[in-house]
Amino acid sequence: MTRPDKRKIDETRKIEAKAGIIPRADGSAMFKIGNTIAYAAVYGPRNLYPKFLQNPQKGILRCSYNMMPFSGSGDRVRPGSSRRSREISMVTEKALMPVLNLEEYPNAVIDIFIELPQTDAGTRCAGICAASIALADAGLVMKSMVSSIAVGLVNDEPVADLSKEEEDIEGTVDIPIAVLPRTGELTLLQLDGEIKKEDLQKAIEIGKKACLKINDIQKKTLKDKYKQVNKDV
Amino acid sequence: MSEILIKDKEIVVPGENLAKGMDCLPGNGTYRDKEFIVASKLGMVNVDGRALKIIPLSGKYSPKRDDIIIGQVCDIVFSGWRVETNSAYQAMLNVRDATSEYIEKTADLTKYFNFGDYIVAKITNVTSQKLIDLTMKAPGLHKLSGGRIIKINTNKVPRVIGKQGSMVSMVKNATGCRITVGQNGLVWIDGEPENEIIAVDAVKMIEKESHISGLTERIKSFLEKSTGKKVIVGEVR
């Protein structure tokens, strides 16, 4: 069984990325996978107010995930936060938290804003990839980058990077994962649908491989921004 | 025997393995994970024998002891002044460390430094909770009046200052402005209005083009073109 867009089972859509695109932010990035585009801006560490939110033991990470009104393929997306966007903000936060050393910034906050001007499928994964580049660009201490991709079961076959078309096929299972490429640890694992244990394991393996490729793109993006520094100094 | 996996001066990203083996030492911006030394920051690697460290290229100012910074008074409390430092944390300037003269307990502290005043101060201590103490009792530390303040990337401050202050002295000599560069990325420039503008442009140019070689020459010709005078390089004032 072939995929609707003739990709191989472990082949991702076309990926483009760019770092440092928002001058006012401390770190920023664009991550494009297929027709999904995510922009991430990182501000901080900075003062946190109101004061009761401050934690004297460690800094706070705040994520905001937002789909723009015109981003979908069909109806206008209602602007503002929704149950869905709040959930995704939360899982993004949890996916990125393990790599950050927040103990270094007591009483402070790191803000991540993820905006999606165009969405197809795999928005939370694109958001996490963009946010990871932006965090590194902001010069924060990180154990590792975070790479993320959606895997799943399409027509009973484990595949990587589902497109909207594949997502809408009856019986498709959608599993967004986030991976620390250095160790292969998972920081995000959600599952929508029903899947056999063996298929799940197979899908995650495919996802991990795809994440390594994404990590190479993330690395290259960051290095390209500073290429000239390398030549000169 | 350990093996270094990257080249000196290479740009690395967080999570990249830098070296393998137990006899390498992890320095700033790196950490050890079993036998690997791993980068924890985006920056340029500096290999010094067996010690590896990362020189960051981006990021906010993180306060360090003995740094001389430019801060803005944002609050006046019983025991002194709170100062905005261009980092995530405010610093504290105690009455005792503010001036050499005796300040009465009941004195009006705005007489010395008022809200919004900019001061050049030195960091005497930073705790693990990021409580910062400042002092004004050292040569060259004073309140700033007149002139203008610009903000630059903290990591570019060494480039603006130059080797033994050569870069900033060149701008000073050419424009006749008084310039103070704080480690926290705030720069104070004071002089004739039109010269101030030239100095601001020069500092911004250094910040923007610091990674392209031949910087000193380019700044020199920029200054010569805009001031219409000959500029002497390398004279430290």
Side-chain angles (χ1 to χ4, degrees), chain B residues 121-142:
Chain B
K122 191 163 127 179
I123 297 177
T124 50
N125 196 23
V126 183
T127 68
S128 66
Q129 285 302 297
K130 306 279 179 182
L131 300 171
I132 310 163
D133 284 326
L134 294 177
T135 183
M136 297 280 287
K137 281 183 180 170
L141 305 181
H142 58 285

Side-chain angles (χ1 to χ4, degrees), chain A residues 26 44-47 49 56-57 104-108 136-145 182-183 219 222-223 226 228-230 232-233, chain B residues 9-17 31 33 36 38-42 44 57-60 84 88-90 128-130 159 210-213:
Chain A
D26 293 311
R46 62 180 178 183
N47 287 334
Y49 292 108
Q57 291 184 354
E104 280 203 22
Y105 319 109
N107 291 327
D137 184 41
L140 294 168
V141 174
M142 292 164 85
K143 280 196 201 85
S144 157
M145 298 289 285
R182 225 183 78 72
T183 54
K219 272 188 194 169
L222 284 164
K223 288 184 181 186
Y226 293 101
Q228 276 184 303
V229 184
N230 206 5
D232 170 40
V233 184
Chain B
K9 310 284 181 212
E10 199 178 305
I11 307 285
V12 291
V13 299
E16 216 172 322
N17 289 339
Y31 69 99
D33 182 24
F36 288 105
V38 189
S40 64
K41 259 187 186 174
L42 173 71
M44 195 170 67
L57 296 166
S58 59
K60 281 204 140 179
E84 202 63 69
Y89 305 96
Q90 288 169 356
S128 66
Q129 285 302 297
K130 306 279 179 182
R159 295 310 198 88
S210 70
H211 57 283
I212 305 166
S213 53

Side-chain angles (χ1 to χ4, degrees), chain B residues 63-79:
Chain B
K64 270 183 284 299
R65 210 179 138 179
D66 291 336
D67 273 2
I68 290 177
I69 62 164
I70 295 177
Q72 189 181 29
V73 175
C74 62
D75 193 8
I76 299 177
V77 290
F78 182 71
S79 55

Side-chain angles (χ1 to χ4, degrees), chain A:
Chain A
M1 187 76 195
T2 52
R3 302 175 72 173
D5 47 8
K6 311 251 177 344
R7 278 185 287 150
K8 291 192 211 87
I9 56 159
D10 58 348
E11 192 182 337
T12 63
R13 289 169 286 172
K14 195 167 171 280
I15 301 174
E16 271 173 57
K18 210 162 181 231
I21 44 161
I22 301 166
R24 293 267 289 174
D26 293 311
S28 58
M30 183 277 285
F31 190 86
K32 182 179 173 191
I33 180 158
N35 289 325
T36 301
I37 306 175
Y39 284 86
V42 171
Y43 294 84
R46 62 180 178 183
N47 287 334
L48 175 57
Y49 292 108
K51 205 159 185 175
F52 68 83
L53 292 175
Q54 290 182 359
N55 183 349
Q57 291 184 354
K58 61 181 213 166
I60 285 171
L61 180 68
R62 277 195 303 208
C63 266
S64 131
Y65 162 101
N66 185 39
M67 262 164 78
M68 290 184 181
F70 48 81
S71 63
S73 47
D75 288 341
R76 167 175 179 267
V77 181
R78 264 183 74 111
S81 87
S82 60
R83 188 207 58 76
R84 180 175 173 275
S85 73
R86 261 193 278 170
E87 177 197 309
I88 297 177
S89 301
M90 194 267 279
V91 297
T92 306
E93 214 172 278
K94 298 258 190 287
L96 295 168
M97 198 106 78
V99 298
L100 289 170
N101 189 6
L102 291 170
E103 279 83 15
E104 280 203 22
Y105 319 109
N107 291 327
V109 64
I110 295 165
D111 276 314
I112 306 174
F113 298 100
I114 298 165
E115 294 287 334
L116 297 134
Q118 188 176 300
T119 59
D120 189 41
T123 53
R124 71 194 72 188
C125 299
I128 290 170
C129 291
S132 169
I133 302 173
L135 284 168
D137 184 41
L140 294 168
V141 174
M142 292 164 85
K143 280 196 201 85
S144 157
M145 298 289 285
V146 184
S147 307
S148 177
I149 193 121
V151 291
L153 209 58
V154 176
N155 299 325
D156 284 325
E157 200 172 14
V159 294
D161 194 25
L162 278 67
S163 65
K164 185 89 183 85
E165 205 179 335
E166 289 171 316
E167 241 178 28
D168 292 341
I169 297 173
E170 186 71 29
T172 291
V173 185
D174 187 12
I175 312 161
I177 62 167
V179 180
L180 309 187
R182 225 183 78 72
T183 54
E185 289 167 298
L186 296 179
T187 60
L188 169 76
L189 178 65
Q190 291 183 298
L191 192 148
D192 193 6
E194 283 176 22
I195 190 168
K196 280 199 264 7
K197 188 181 164 191
E198 297 77 42
D199 285 340
L200 178 63
Q201 282 168 337
K202 221 167 152 189
I204 289 175
E205 279 318 307
I206 291 172
K208 278 186 181 175
K209 265 185 214 143
C211 279
L212 286 180
K213 278 180 204 156
I214 292 176
N215 185 240
D216 287 339
I217 294 166
Q218 288 174 315
K219 272 188 194 169
K220 195 174 161 286
T221 306
L222 284 164
K223 288 184 181 186
D224 279 354
K225 189 187 165 190
Y226 293 101
K227 214 165 202 175
Q228 276 184 303
V229 184
N230 206 5
K231 255 188 241 161
D232 170 40
V233 184

Side-chain angles (χ1 to χ4, degrees), chain B:
Chain B
M1 195 52 213
S2 66
E3 182 191 353
I4 291 172
L5 305 168
I6 37 83
K7 283 189 277 243
D8 193 18
K9 310 284 181 212
E10 199 178 305
I11 307 285
V12 291
V13 299
E16 216 172 322
N17 289 339
L18 303 180
K20 193 182 172 182
M22 291 310 284
D23 50 347
C24 272
L25 300 169
N28 262 349
T30 64
Y31 69 99
R32 175 177 289 290
D33 182 24
K34 291 178 199 120
E35 76 265 30
F36 288 105
I37 290 180
V38 189
S40 64
K41 259 187 186 174
L42 173 71
M44 195 170 67
V45 197
N46 190 18
V47 184
D48 183 13
R50 292 182 301 125
L52 294 147
K53 68 168 182 181
I54 288 177
I55 302 159
L57 296 166
S58 59
K60 281 204 140 179
Y61 175 65
S62 84
K64 270 183 284 299
R65 210 179 138 179
D66 291 336
D67 273 2
I68 290 177
I69 62 164
I70 295 177
Q72 189 181 29
V73 175
C74 62
D75 193 8
I76 299 177
V77 290
F78 182 71
S79 55
W81 297 264
R82 296 200 70 83
V83 178
E84 202 63 69
T85 57
N86 196 27
S87 71
Y89 305 96
Q90 288 169 356
M92 186 73 206
L93 174 64
N94 207 285
V95 170
R96 273 186 311 175
D97 302 317
T99 57
S100 50
E101 61 187 278
Y102 176 69
I103 299 177
E104 197 87 37
K105 241 189 180 164
T106 53
D108 177 17
L109 294 183
T110 57
K111 263 201 330 206
Y112 302 92
F113 307 116
N114 207 342
F115 297 104
D117 284 353
Y118 281 97
I119 55 171
V120 184
K122 191 163 127 179
I123 297 177
T124 50
N125 196 23
V126 183
T127 68
S128 66
Q129 285 302 297
K130 306 279 179 182
L131 300 171
I132 310 163
D133 284 326
L134 294 177
T135 183
M136 297 280 287
K137 281 183 180 170
L141 305 181
H142 58 285
K143 184 168 126 181
L144 297 170
S145 48
R148 60 178 80 197
I149 298 269
I150 57 167
K151 265 188 198 175
I152 59 166
N153 183 344
T154 318
N155 303 288
K156 300 285 171 73
V157 164
R159 295 310 198 88
V160 173
I161 292 171
K163 280 202 182 91
Q164 284 154 355
S166 60
M167 190 67 88
V168 73
S169 330
M170 183 170 80
V171 182
K172 277 184 194 172
N173 289 336
T175 59
C177 289
R178 292 190 294 160
I179 302 176
T180 305
V181 186
Q183 287 295 328
N184 58 341
L186 259 57
V187 183
W188 174 76
I189 297 167
D190 180 38
E192 293 294 316
E194 53 271 31
N195 290 338
E196 265 181 26
I197 292 168
I198 296 170
V200 169
D201 288 345
V203 171
K204 293 255 177 198
M205 193 168 152
I206 300 168
E207 187 201 7
K208 210 173 110 201
E209 300 179 11
S210 70
H211 57 283
I212 305 166
S213 53
L215 179 68
T216 316
E217 276 307 304
R218 246 171 311 124
I219 299 298
K220 188 185 161 202
S221 61
F222 166 77
L223 287 169
E224 277 174 349
K225 212 171 115 194
S226 34
T227 57
K229 276 181 282 188
K230 192 107 184 78
V231 175
I232 311 131
V233 188
E235 189 190 311
V236 180
R237 190 166 73 173

